[in-house]
Amino acid sequence: MATIPATGWLDRARTVAGPGFNRWLVPPCALAIHLCIGMAYGFSVFWLPLAHAIGIGDPVVCKGMSLATALTTTTCDWRVSDLVWTYTLFFVVLGAAAAIWGGWLERVGPRKAGVVAAFCWCGGMGIAAIGVSLHQLWLIWLGSGLIGGIGLGLGYISPVSTLIKWFPDRRGMATGMAIMGFGGGALIGSPLADLLMKHFASATGVGVWQTFLVLAAGYFVFMMAGAIGYRVPPDRYAPAGWTSPETTTLSRFNVALGNAHRTPQFWLVWTVLFLNVSASIGIIGVASPMLQELFGGRLIGDAAALFTNFDASQKKAAATIGAGFVGIISLFNIGGRFFWAALSDRIGRKPLYAVMTALGAVLYGLAAPHFAGVSIGLFIVTFAVLASMYGGGFAAVPAYLADLFGTKYVGAIHGRLLTAWSCAGIAGPLLVAGMRDARIAEGVPRAEVYGPIYLILAAMLVVGFVANLLVRPVAAKWHMAEDTTPVATPVETTAGHTGGASLTAILAWAAVGLPIAWGVYMAVLKAAVLLK
């Protein structure tokens, strides 16, 4: 009896695009998933409400409570430091999941991976909601941190390989559009969560578990729509009229997943990403207090007032301005993901990272120390540019990997490279927060705390600059033996896949574009306080 091929709608074979498919339908599918999982960046909106979950008005503080006790207590309010571990788990598990299941994703295709990501991310939020309602921190860690982190990893890499294969002519722009969504998820999710918590808050609850459930339901719809909409191109697809350019840095052959990490190129790019992220993620995490500590009373029109002597009203006013600074950083982080990635299509990935690491070193080493405490406007501009390059580093790296290793396993290779993000997510905050706290404990004035930190971050980017310069094309011995023709050679059947404007494409882009526009509007409102 002949074997009947699998025909389930999740099978990769069912996602191969037919003639006439519009490739511009794939980016909004990727955005639908990335905008949802990007809420991981916005989970800090829950920390303060959860720190009052029992006491409601005033937290129930249990002196000497250990972290182990915090995991299961039902009578003590959690500390913010207990809750922040969820954030750490997000990005550690993200990198691990992407590395472990990247090869599986390449085999089964983006649709199945996207569906699993939706169940993990949204199901994890559901478990976290139960944890909040029962006041069990371990359930929050398990749900959002561990299970949700797996959803983050699979959702993050699900569109990478597909987009690069659909847009071999615009690799940077294509991945930049999707990964821009990950940076933008918090712009939408944070203000929406704030509105929901206010709606559900009562005399007996802070409204967090209900907010988790509403967000999980909405995210599930969006993520499933994105996953179902995924299509992969036919083998050896290329847009009509386009051929792969002959350059010294663009690989026209594939490298097997098992061999990629054996090449020096993989570890050099890993080092560049690790240092670029480490140099930014820690300082972004303290952006609001940093601005307040450096400029003190100048932020609120009282130049003589020291940050450490602020009264309650001054602290509130300064915190509002600090939130505006964070809003500006968020906007540039998102915009940079598209801008720098699209620019890489014009100047190349290696020159782009040379520019970003060199410029970042100059801004951290010279501009930031010079403007700190002196010019509020120039200081904000400095960190806005740095935030844009932080986002740009994430967005351009999948295209960099495709240039070096080919497109066949780029999603899985990218997944393994994201372990650099996991490591940086620990190293960066530990370095910055550790140095900051140590210098404050030594009695260093708040306005002088950050100078040495900036210099160390600049040195890290100098090392990243050198690592990027050492990247060369992958040696021919690593090319897959079965590759006898370039990976991006056009075939006659691909002419109908380029696509243009259509009602379906317009509706798909509107579905993701309108929430983004609302999120940007809300961020601009916060940032506007800096212009008054």
Side-chain angles (χ1 to χ4, degrees):
M1 177 182 285
T3 301
I4 300 174
T7 57
W9 67 276
L10 290 180
D11 294 335
R12 190 180 190 282
R14 293 288 298 271
T15 66
V16 177
F21 179 77
N22 186 344
R23 65 174 179 168
W24 287 98
L25 287 170
V26 180
C29 293
L31 277 168
I33 290 179
H34 272 230
L35 287 170
C36 296
I37 62 175
M39 179 53 186
Y41 273 134
F43 255 62
S44 60
V45 74
F46 298 119
W47 301 156
L48 289 180
L50 285 175
H52 297 74
I54 293 178
I56 311 300
D58 295 312
V60 177
V61 178
C62 296
K63 293 183 178 180
M65 182 175 66
S66 66
L67 181 60
T69 301
L71 286 172
T72 57
T73 182
T74 58
T75 57
C76 304
D77 268 315
W78 301 309
R79 298 158 300 199
V80 171
S81 58
D82 302 324
L83 295 161
V84 167
W85 276 99
T86 309
Y87 186 79
T88 301
L89 283 170
F90 274 153
F91 296 109
V92 171
V93 176
L94 183 157
I100 293 171
W101 288 295
W104 170 81
L105 185 153
E106 293 287 2
R107 293 193 302 273
V108 304
R111 178 181 288 176
K112 183 175 288 187
V115 168
V116 173
F119 275 94
C120 287
W121 176 244
C122 302
M125 289 189 75
I127 294 172
I130 296 173
V132 173
S133 67
L134 298 177
H135 202 75
Q136 292 292 293
L137 181 59
W138 70 272
L139 279 173
I140 298 176
W141 284 14
L142 172 66
S144 283
L146 179 59
I147 299 174
I150 294 172
L152 279 175
L154 291 176
Y156 190 88
I157 64 174
S158 65
V160 169
S161 177
T162 301
L163 284 169
I164 285 176
K165 290 169 183 174
W166 272 119
F167 293 87
D169 51 334
R170 304 177 186 181
R171 289 174 175 175
M173 181 207 70
T175 56
M177 281 190 292
I179 294 175
M180 176 183 70
F182 189 80
L187 279 187
I188 302 167
S190 291
L192 178 58
D194 188 54
L195 292 173
L196 288 171
M197 284 189 291
K198 290 177 180 177
H199 173 74
F200 289 118
S202 67
T204 58
V206 292
V208 174
W209 72 263
Q210 299 95 328
T211 298
F212 274 169
L213 291 179
V214 172
L215 288 177
Y219 287 157
F220 187 76
V221 172
F222 260 76
M223 293 180 73
M224 288 296 289
I228 293 171
Y230 276 147
R231 295 291 186 278
V232 297
D235 290 339
R236 296 171 58 207
Y237 165 81
W242 180 84
T243 56
S244 177
E246 297 283 356
T247 71
T248 58
T249 59
L250 186 64
S251 173
R252 304 185 77 218
F253 293 84
N254 293 301
V255 175
L257 175 61
N259 288 331
H261 68 278
R262 299 171 63 186
T263 67
Q265 287 83 357
F266 177 89
W267 294 107
L268 287 169
V269 177
W270 191 99
T271 300
V272 173
L273 183 65
F274 169 76
L275 293 171
N276 186 62
V277 175
S278 295
S280 300
I281 195 169
I283 210 73
I284 288 174
V286 297
S288 178
M290 176 180 68
L291 186 74
Q292 296 174 60
E293 290 167 346
L294 287 174
F295 291 95
R298 294 184 58 192
L299 293 175
I300 55 177
D302 186 357
L306 297 176
F307 172 79
T308 50
N309 295 331
F310 278 179
D311 59 29
S313 62
Q314 289 173 320
K315 287 180 180 179
K316 184 176 181 180
T320 300
I321 293 174
F325 181 48
V326 173
I328 287 178
I329 285 179
S330 298
L331 289 173
F332 275 82
N333 174 20
I334 296 163
R337 291 171 187 247
F338 180 78
F339 171 79
W340 292 106
L343 180 63
S344 74
D345 289 331
R346 292 182 175 272
I347 68 174
R349 255 62 73 172
K350 184 175 178 179
L352 178 84
Y353 279 92
V355 169
M356 290 196 299
T357 51
L359 179 57
V362 170
L363 292 178
Y364 273 126
L366 297 177
H370 180 72
F371 297 136
V374 177
S375 173
I376 298 175
L378 291 175
F379 184 82
I380 290 172
V381 169
T382 296
F383 277 89
V385 176
L386 286 167
S388 77
M389 293 188 294
Y390 165 73
F394 280 120
V397 80
Y400 203 174
L401 294 175
D403 292 350
L404 292 168
F405 301 106
T407 61
K408 189 168 186 177
Y409 296 106
V410 66
I413 295 171
H414 180 232
R416 292 186 176 182
L417 191 84
L418 289 180
T419 54
W421 186 2
S422 297
C423 294
I426 297 172
L430 282 178
L431 171 66
V432 172
M435 286 189 66
R436 173 183 177 273
D437 292 347
R439 288 177 62 77
I440 290 175
E442 292 169 1
V444 175
R446 296 298 178 99
E448 300 174 14
V449 163
Y450 294 92
I453 298 176
Y454 296 150
L455 295 179
I456 289 178
L457 299 181
M460 293 170 67
L461 288 175
V462 170
V463 176
F465 177 82
V466 174
N468 181 64
L469 288 185
L470 295 176
V471 175
R472 298 289 186 273
V474 175
K477 68 177 181 178
W478 299 115
H479 294 172
M480 293 180 67
E482 62 267 31
D483 284 335
T484 58
T485 58
V487 299
T489 299
V491 294
E492 293 180 359
T493 59
T494 64
H497 291 87
T498 299
S502 67
L503 179 59
T504 303
I506 292 171
L507 292 175
W509 279 100
V512 294
L514 291 175
I516 292 174
W518 181 79
V520 169
Y521 170 73
M522 298 299 289
V524 169
L525 287 181
K526 287 185 178 180
V529 298
L530 290 168
L531 304 177
K532 293 182 179 179

